[in-house]
Amino acid sequence: MLTLSRMKSLLYPILSRPTTPPLSFCFHFQEPIFVCRRYGVQTINPMNKVSSFSCSTVPNHNQIRVLHTDVSGSGSDSGEVHVIVGPMFAGKTTTLLKRIKSESSSGSFQANGVKSSLYLDETIKGLCFSGRVAEAVGILCRSGVQVEAETYSLLLQECIFRQAYKKGKRVHWQMIIVGFVPNEYLTIKLLILYAKAGDLDTAHIIFDKLQFKCLVSWNAMIAGYVQKGMEEVGVSLYHNMKQRGVLPDQYTFASVFRACASLAVLEQGKQAHALLIKSQISGNIVVNSALMDMYFKCSCPSDGYLVFSKSLERNVITWTALISGYGQNGRIEDVLESFHRMIDEGFRPNHITFLAVLSACSHGGLVDKGKEYFSLMMRDYGLRPRGKHYAAIVDLLGRAGRLQEAHEFVKNSRCGEHPVLWGALLGACKIHGDIEMVKLAARNFFDLEPENAGKYVVLSNAYASFGLWNNVAEVRRLMKDSGVKKEPGYSMIEVQRQTHFFYMEHNAHEQTDEIYKLVKNMAGVLKDAGDIPDLLS
């Protein structure tokens, strides 16, 4: 005997009154299904008490099992409902779509539209709740009808959460095709979807059409640009938001601090920090970690540590930000001391923590300690080293001049096909002048990822350092023939709250002539003082 709760889960659709022929819904599955027949009942409600029922099964897997039921109530109509046994929505719901399409063409869909729409909504929601978003989106797109705003919201939220951005875009396209006009809440959901997907052009179109730009919409745009690597645009949007009287929250500050860290604009980062304090917003782990990272990357390790020491909450993220920050500023002893303090306080390091420690050992020339920490990952914490961890060991050995040992380590590592390992070996060979090892590393480095523009530059510079100009010309020719273009390098400086960019082979700065004139005058002054500047470097 099945329980009442089981029956409720099977019979959640609510059928119509006796004046309307009951809908029969069939879900086709590879698994066997139940067919529920009802006798002499006006309506079937999942909350009605089920008095008795029996089940008969046929041996053929392709046939069905019939579930006979008696439900409390009275009436004379009869019908059938196909219900699901096992995991909810365990198969394809093609019959649902066929019924909607047939009723749409015959005109009966208008009469039963409310019921059909209800079933479609519940089906899509059930698939979302069970994690089957791809099937839910497929059903929606093939149905050709509108669903409730709540259903669209759930679909978009699941697509954002699972980073299924292409499926989220399909949901938006379906809205447009069926003529559904999203409300303000759904519009912001779409804005977040496109911003997280990196489609900032579409996100900006949606953003510009918002009648009321709330804080959530501003945060989505700022975070989208920062995530895309367009930090200066994100910071500009932040200032624009403040000018319009919208007060930032902790999510805004987290994005702004990340942008200031990438741009190394200390002054703007300090202003944002001051506003955070003035707003009396309690910083969380994400905000404090981003703030620490900003100070460390702007070469203010003392301020970074001050943020850490005043953090009320600490976890592996804040500890890793501290350790990485010390490593970026060359404070190797502080890296190792903080790492052991973290362990002593009961926090387990993760992959990023160990990568920061290994990098610090590499720059500090601590070969034995670096190898010890590498072994510690697997032995004590069960962390399987990744490509960057192996590359850190190669760099560690290479900087110490142990090129042959580094080469053997690359060949024997499980990440030997990872290009970053050969890149690290190539850099070490370039430092120590081993031309044969340079050629070997360069060949493997290039073959693994030839479409990477940065690799052409690394190879060209490596050959140039040994005077192999024929090889340099060959690399440049390959780069030109394949159509690979490298983004121009640039320098940046912040002066009086304004950031200035200077690009290679691109003199677009409005004060370029004045700058060159000043440099020329400075060179003349230095020459008169007896100092000969190296203008070629």
Side-chain angles (χ1 to χ4, degrees):
M1 298 292 289
L2 297 177
T3 64
L4 177 60
S5 60
R6 177 63 173 160
M7 201 60 192
K8 288 179 181 179
S9 66
L10 296 178
L11 293 175
Y12 75 87
I14 301 174
L15 300 185
S16 60
R17 297 186 179 275
T19 54
T20 306
L23 270 173
S24 74
F25 250 51
C26 180
F27 294 82
H28 289 257
F29 302 104
Q30 294 177 351
E31 300 177 0
I33 60 174
F34 282 116
V35 177
C36 171
R37 300 187 183 278
R38 56 190 175 86
Y39 301 96
V41 181
Q42 288 185 349
T43 60
I44 287 185
N45 190 309
M47 302 306 295
N48 288 341
K49 181 179 180 181
V50 179
S51 57
S52 64
F53 37 88
S54 61
C55 178
S56 61
T57 307
V58 290
N60 190 344
H61 180 80
N62 295 322
Q63 293 178 311
I64 60 174
R65 289 179 288 177
V66 181
L67 175 66
H68 300 281
T69 70
D70 289 327
V71 186
S72 60
S74 60
S76 59
D77 62 318
S78 62
E80 64 180 32
V81 180
H82 295 215
V83 295
I84 305 164
V85 172
M88 183 167 286
F89 304 103
K92 298 179 180 179
T93 53
T94 53
T95 304
L96 169 63
L97 301 172
K98 291 179 181 178
R99 181 170 183 80
I100 292 174
K101 290 181 179 180
S102 64
E103 288 183 349
S104 299
S105 59
S106 64
S108 62
F109 181 77
Q110 295 180 353
N112 295 326
V114 175
K115 291 185 299 182
S116 299
S117 177
L118 174 64
Y119 283 118
L120 179 59
D121 278 298
E122 294 300 325
T123 300
I124 293 174
K125 289 178 183 177
L127 288 170
C128 286
F129 291 143
S130 60
R132 303 174 69 175
V133 180
E135 293 180 50
V137 174
I139 289 173
L140 175 70
C141 294
R142 291 192 297 270
S143 68
V145 297
Q146 296 183 12
V147 294
E148 295 176 351
E150 181 184 347
T151 306
Y152 281 123
S153 176
L154 178 61
L155 278 168
L156 292 174
Q157 184 61 42
E158 287 296 309
C159 291
I160 293 170
F161 176 75
R162 300 174 186 278
Q163 299 182 356
Y165 301 126
K166 290 185 178 180
K167 293 180 177 61
K169 290 180 181 181
R170 288 184 65 194
V171 174
H172 187 200
W173 299 337
Q174 197 271 351
M175 289 184 189
I176 298 172
I177 291 172
V178 300
F180 179 84
V181 180
N183 55 27
E184 198 81 358
Y185 177 76
L186 277 178
T187 304
I188 294 176
K189 285 271 190 185
L190 290 169
L191 170 62
I192 295 172
L193 170 76
Y194 282 102
K196 283 185 173 289
D199 188 352
L200 297 176
D201 292 334
T202 306
H204 227 303
I205 292 172
I206 298 173
F207 179 74
D208 291 337
K209 290 184 178 180
L210 286 173
Q211 294 181 353
F212 172 72
K213 294 178 175 60
C214 64
L215 178 59
V216 176
S217 60
W218 284 103
N219 283 346
M221 291 303 299
I222 294 171
Y225 278 109
V226 174
Q227 175 185 314
K228 191 75 171 179
M230 303 172 67
E231 292 88 358
E232 60 275 11
V233 182
V235 173
S236 177
L237 275 173
Y238 163 70
H239 292 304
N240 190 8
M241 180 191 79
K242 288 196 303 176
Q243 290 173 359
R244 298 193 178 208
V246 181
L247 297 177
D249 64 0
Q250 55 187 0
Y251 302 105
T252 319
F253 286 117
S255 297
V256 171
F257 291 146
R258 289 193 189 97
C260 293
S262 298
L263 297 173
V265 286
L266 179 61
E267 188 63 30
Q268 294 191 49
K270 283 185 173 181
Q271 291 174 13
H273 187 193
L275 183 58
L276 172 66
I277 297 172
K278 185 178 179 180
S279 303
Q280 296 183 343
I281 298 174
S282 58
N284 57 20
I285 289 174
V286 176
V287 175
N288 289 336
S289 299
L291 181 59
M292 289 168 54
D293 186 53
M294 187 270 295
Y295 278 119
F296 278 118
K297 286 184 177 177
C298 292
S299 302
C300 294
S302 58
D303 290 329
Y305 178 74
L306 190 60
V307 174
F308 173 82
S309 63
K310 291 188 175 182
S311 299
L312 299 178
E313 293 183 75
R314 295 179 187 175
N315 66 357
V316 64
I317 298 174
T318 50
W319 277 103
T320 301
L322 178 69
I323 293 169
S324 300
Y326 278 141
Q328 291 162 6
N329 286 269
R331 298 173 62 165
I332 311 303
E333 292 183 3
D334 290 327
V335 168
L336 301 183
E337 180 187 349
S338 300
F339 178 73
H340 289 289
R341 277 182 57 199
M342 170 186 174
I343 295 174
D344 291 340
E345 292 190 18
F347 296 98
R348 288 179 60 86
N350 58 21
H351 284 91
I352 302 175
T353 315
F354 273 106
L355 182 60
V357 172
L358 292 175
S359 298
C361 292
S362 175
H363 287 85
L366 306 175
V367 177
D368 293 334
K369 277 191 172 295
K371 295 169 73 173
E372 179 185 341
Y373 288 125
F374 185 80
S375 301
L376 194 69
M377 289 183 65
M378 277 288 290
R379 186 182 70 238
D380 291 1
Y381 296 99
L383 297 174
R384 193 173 185 182
R386 298 172 181 173
K388 290 186 178 181
H389 299 96
Y390 284 100
I393 295 297
V394 173
D395 186 62
L396 173 72
L397 296 171
R399 286 175 183 267
R402 296 157 67 166
L403 298 180
Q404 194 60 42
E405 185 179 350
H407 181 223
E408 292 297 324
F409 182 82
V410 172
K411 290 196 302 181
N412 296 329
S413 71
R414 67 178 187 86
C415 295
E417 298 299 317
H418 203 301
V420 71
L421 270 72
W422 292 103
L425 182 60
L426 177 62
C429 297
K430 177 182 171 182
I431 293 173
H432 294 283
D434 191 329
I435 183 61
E436 294 301 324
M437 191 70 76
V438 163
K439 292 180 179 180
L440 175 65
R443 183 169 60 252
N444 287 278
F445 181 58
F446 184 78
D447 289 344
L448 289 175
E449 201 177 9
E451 71 280 359
N452 189 329
K455 290 191 172 183
Y456 290 89
V457 178
V458 172
L459 288 174
S460 177
N461 292 341
Y463 286 138
S465 64
F466 290 96
L468 302 175
W469 302 112
N470 290 334
N471 297 80
V472 172
E474 178 66 16
V475 171
R476 296 285 176 88
R477 185 187 64 78
L478 285 173
M479 189 173 181
K480 184 177 180 180
D481 292 345
S482 60
V484 177
K485 292 184 179 180
K486 180 183 177 295
E487 292 293 326
Y490 66 88
S491 298
M492 180 192 65
I493 187 172
E494 182 185 9
V495 180
Q496 296 180 350
R497 302 181 183 180
Q498 186 176 1
T499 306
H500 302 266
F501 292 88
F502 301 92
Y503 292 88
M504 286 288 293
E505 303 178 359
H506 190 270
N507 301 325
H509 194 275
E510 57 185 11
Q511 294 179 295
T512 298
D513 294 336
E514 298 175 40
I515 292 170
Y516 276 115
K517 185 178 180 180
L518 179 60
V519 170
K520 187 175 181 181
N521 292 336
M522 290 175 62
V525 172
L526 293 172
K527 187 174 182 180
D528 292 339
D531 182 26
I532 302 176
D534 184 7
L535 300 178
L536 298 178
S537 59

